[in-house]
């Protein structure tokens, strides 16, 4: 009789099973947020690892619609006197000039930097450009149409000027002498006040 009077215990409810629509949505959102956070952290780490020279090279040969300050190009030219830095410079430079038509600004900026370094940089630059001049010669026929305009003309002209420069020792010596005089005269001035010489940062990238 005592057992009959005891109230029956209610069965315990099982905990909700994960995997319902709301849980899946929350998990997806967390995954996306986590992935974005990882990308931002990776980009931040990459920026921290980027050396001043690499930063200068990235800015000098971007595909953006603006030129490069002369002061930055002079910094790169000074770095070319160090063997390892010279290797970094040439690697980035060749990567730029071998871009395809839609990135013609980067190609042109790479050639502009190459011409500037031939005139202002170490003699290692001249040797490298002369040895791998086929990478420049192939741009003699560079062509790309944008908004109905031939954007390849400036690339073709710059490529021919570089090959002429490294092929004519007297012309090269004269241009390097002029560049040295220009550096001595204008090095202390801002890039805004010192006009570009010998393939400086100016140019039409529009």
């Amino acid at each position: 009789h005592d057992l009959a009077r005891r109230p029956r215990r209610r069965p315990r409810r099982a905990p909700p099973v994960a995997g319902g629509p709301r849980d899946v949505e929350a998990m997806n959102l967390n995954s996306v947020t986590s992935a974005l956070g990882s990308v931002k952290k990776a980009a931040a780490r990459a920026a921290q690892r980027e050396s001043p020279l690499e930063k200068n090279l990235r800015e000098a040969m971007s595909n953006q619609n603006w030129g490069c300050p002369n002061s930055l190009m002079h910094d790169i030219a000074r770095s070319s006197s160090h063997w390892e830095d010279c290797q970094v410079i040439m690697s980035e430079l060749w990567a730029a000039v071998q871009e395809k038509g839609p990135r013609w600004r980067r190609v042109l900026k790479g050639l502009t930097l190459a011409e500037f370094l031939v005139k202002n940089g170490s003699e290692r630059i001249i040797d490298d450009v002369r040895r791998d001049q086929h990478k420049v010669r192939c741009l003699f026929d560079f062509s790309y149409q944008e908004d109905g305009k031939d954007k390849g003309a400036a690339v073709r002209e710059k490529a021919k000027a570089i090959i002429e420069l490294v092929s004519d020792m007297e012309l090269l010596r004269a241009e390097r002498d002029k560049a040295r005089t220009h550096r001595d005269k204008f090095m202390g001035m801002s890039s805004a006040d010192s006009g570009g010489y010998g393939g400086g940062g100016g140019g039409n990238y529009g």
Side-chain angles (χ1 to χ4, degrees):
H1 296 289
D2 293 337
L3 291 173
R5 285 196 293 269
R6 287 181 182 175
R8 293 181 179 180
R9 293 182 179 178
R10 293 182 180 180
R12 292 182 180 178
R13 287 185 180 181
V17 179
R22 290 184 179 179
D23 292 329
V24 172
E25 185 177 343
M27 288 172 65
N28 289 340
L29 184 60
N30 289 337
S31 298
V32 171
T33 303
S34 176
L36 288 175
S38 298
V39 170
K40 287 181 179 179
K41 288 178 181 177
R45 285 197 299 270
Q48 289 175 355
R49 287 197 299 267
E50 190 177 51
S51 70
L53 173 60
E54 289 168 335
K55 181 175 181 293
N56 286 343
L57 289 167
R58 176 170 53 79
E59 292 181 11
M61 295 182 288
S62 73
N63 199 47
Q64 301 300 319
N65 186 21
W66 55 75
C68 170
N70 279 356
S71 58
L72 190 149
M73 298 180 80
H74 278 297
D75 285 345
I76 296 173
R78 282 195 296 272
S79 296
S80 69
S81 60
H82 302 286
W83 188 84
E84 289 184 359
D85 287 345
C86 189
Q87 297 295 104
V88 172
I89 291 168
M90 294 309 301
S91 176
E92 294 295 326
L93 193 152
W94 291 135
V97 302
Q98 292 179 79
E99 292 278 12
K100 302 301 181 184
R103 293 174 66 81
W104 64 269
R105 291 180 184 87
R106 184 161 148 75
V107 178
L108 181 55
K109 288 180 181 179
L111 291 174
T112 298
L113 179 61
E115 184 184 34
F116 187 90
L117 292 176
V118 165
K119 294 179 179 181
N120 294 273
S122 73
E123 293 189 1
R124 291 191 190 96
I125 297 289
I126 302 170
D127 293 339
D128 284 354
V129 172
R130 191 177 283 138
R131 185 185 64 242
D132 293 330
Q133 59 182 279
H134 63 277
K135 296 178 181 178
V136 179
R137 286 184 179 277
C138 68
L139 297 173
F140 285 7
D141 299 320
F142 185 91
S143 180
Y144 182 71
Q145 296 287 326
E146 186 175 277
D147 299 328
K149 297 178 181 178
D150 178 18
K151 297 298 185 179
V155 170
R156 295 192 296 271
E157 291 172 8
K158 188 69 72 176
K160 291 173 182 177
I162 291 171
I163 295 302
E164 181 184 4
L165 193 56
V166 298
S167 302
D168 187 332
M169 290 301 296
E170 289 187 10
L171 175 63
L172 178 60
R173 189 178 299 111
E175 291 297 334
R176 284 180 67 85
D177 286 344
K178 288 179 185 178
R180 187 178 299 109
T181 301
H182 175 83
R183 286 198 307 274
D184 293 342
K185 185 176 180 181
F186 293 105
M187 208 55 196
M189 300 174 66
S190 68
S191 59
D193 296 329
S194 60
Y197 174 80
N204 182 12
Y205 299 98

